[in-house]
Amino acid sequence: MVKPIGIFDSGIGGTSIWREIEKLLPYEDTIYLADSANAPYGARPKEQILELSIKNTELLLQKNCKLIVVACNTATTNAIDFLRANYDVPFIGIEPAIKPAALHTKTQKVGVLATKGTLSSALFHSTSKMFAQGITVLEQEGTGLVELIEDGKTHSEETRTLLKKYLDPMLEEHIDCLVLGCTHYPYLIPLIKELVPPGLTIIDSGEAVARQTKAVLEKNKLAAPTKNKATHRFYINADTNALSSLVSGPGIYVEQLDF
């Protein structure tokens, strides 16, 4: 029996990570938990983020997952050390891609759009300190963006107005790289491209997380046979409409589940 990869996020945003994993590993079964009832995690206290991360992990383990991707920057920065210390499966975390931005910037100014929970975390600050020496990192909380994406308003005028408010101050400081520090935000890339200069580089963590997932599966001899015909199960504890609009196709099942 092929064991699935487990993925969880505070809502539907982590499907941007799932998409990269499915593209790189099309033969792997996946189970995705969208904890939309508690989204966004970024505004919650650390103790609550930890409790929710434990709840999601234990549900994925009940469903026989062999590896868990914490597809949420806030949950990674606040809970992954505890999860790794207390459960026997490998965990893949997500953190804002400060390192590639620092290597890429020419103006030595990098913008980070993320949630409060990520920007205030110890892991974010240690990563910035390690990789961004001599570089100005302009931090911006994306308050309200997760809720708009969860409501299916990714391309709305309301979202555009809020994004412009958050991006303009960073653009005025001449950033040339924008790091998306929340897995919901890649769904805003088409809108962001309309609001920033054409030369600005937008960086998210999706591809790197998929590559790391592949490497960890192979290292631990957990990879599925490449001939496996994959199935992908998505569980959400809210209305299924927004999630169903993002993921559909053969072998994909979306279901409402109280968790």
Side-chain angles (χ1 to χ4, degrees):
M1 187 185 112
V2 174
K3 288 187 174 184
I5 294 169
I7 304 166
F8 77 81
D9 182 32
S10 62
I12 62 178
T15 53
S16 65
I17 300 292
W18 169 80
R19 203 175 297 283
E20 296 293 344
I21 291 170
E22 193 274 333
K23 191 161 67 177
L24 186 66
L25 303 167
Y27 45 85
E28 292 286 355
D29 290 359
T30 61
I31 293 177
Y32 181 100
L33 297 184
D35 189 13
S36 293
N38 294 297
Y41 284 3
R44 295 179 177 275
K46 182 181 170 79
E47 301 74 30
Q48 215 169 41
I49 297 163
L50 182 58
E51 282 171 23
L52 293 167
S53 299
I54 290 167
K55 173 201 70 169
N56 295 333
T57 294
E58 294 192 344
L59 179 52
L60 288 170
L61 291 175
Q62 283 170 28
K63 294 187 177 296
N64 215 20
C65 291
K66 60 188 175 184
L67 172 148
I68 294 176
V69 179
V70 183
C72 172
N73 290 267
T74 301
T76 296
T77 51
N78 289 279
I80 201 160
D81 289 344
F82 178 91
L83 298 176
R84 284 176 171 150
N86 287 275
Y87 297 98
D88 284 338
V89 296
F91 285 86
I92 307 291
I94 293 170
E95 57 187 273
I98 298 288
K99 185 180 179 182
L103 292 170
H104 194 276
T105 181
K106 302 282 193 297
T107 63
Q108 306 304 298
K109 290 186 176 180
V110 169
V112 180
L113 186 65
T115 64
K116 180 182 178 181
T118 295
L119 293 174
S120 62
S121 69
L123 180 58
F124 175 75
H125 284 287
S126 64
T127 303
S128 295
K129 198 172 174 184
M130 191 183 307
F131 296 120
Q133 289 181 353
I135 288 165
T136 302
V137 178
L138 297 156
E139 302 173 13
Q140 174 61 59
E141 285 180 29
T143 309
L145 292 174
V146 167
E147 291 91 333
L148 288 167
I149 296 164
E150 288 286 321
D151 286 344
K153 297 177 180 173
T154 308
H155 305 288
S156 70
E157 202 53 46
E158 192 182 351
T159 305
R160 173 189 284 273
T161 302
L162 203 52
L163 257 182
K164 189 168 176 9
K165 176 185 160 189
Y166 294 152
L167 294 172
D168 281 355
M170 294 193 282
L171 295 174
E172 283 165 17
E173 293 291 331
H174 307 295
I175 64 163
D176 63 350
C177 290
L178 177 66
V179 177
L180 302 182
C182 171
T183 54
H184 282 72
Y185 296 169
Y187 287 111
L188 300 175
I189 288 175
L191 204 48
I192 291 170
K193 284 183 173 174
E194 292 177 19
L195 297 170
V196 301
L200 185 132
T201 302
I202 301 167
I203 300 172
D204 74 84
S205 308
E207 280 185 47
V209 170
R211 288 195 301 272
Q212 179 68 0
T213 301
K214 184 174 192 275
V216 170
L217 286 174
E218 289 172 354
K219 180 185 171 190
N220 290 278
K221 298 184 168 49
L222 292 170
T226 53
K227 64 181 183 298
N228 179 52
K229 195 171 181 182
T231 58
H232 308 286
R233 299 191 181 277
F234 292 81
Y235 298 101
I236 185 167
N237 51 12
D239 185 85
T240 59
N241 287 345
L243 178 57
S244 297
S245 72
L246 293 177
V247 294
S248 59
I252 290 175
Y253 305 91
V254 177
E255 188 181 323
Q256 199 166 24
L257 182 70
D258 187 24
F259 63 90

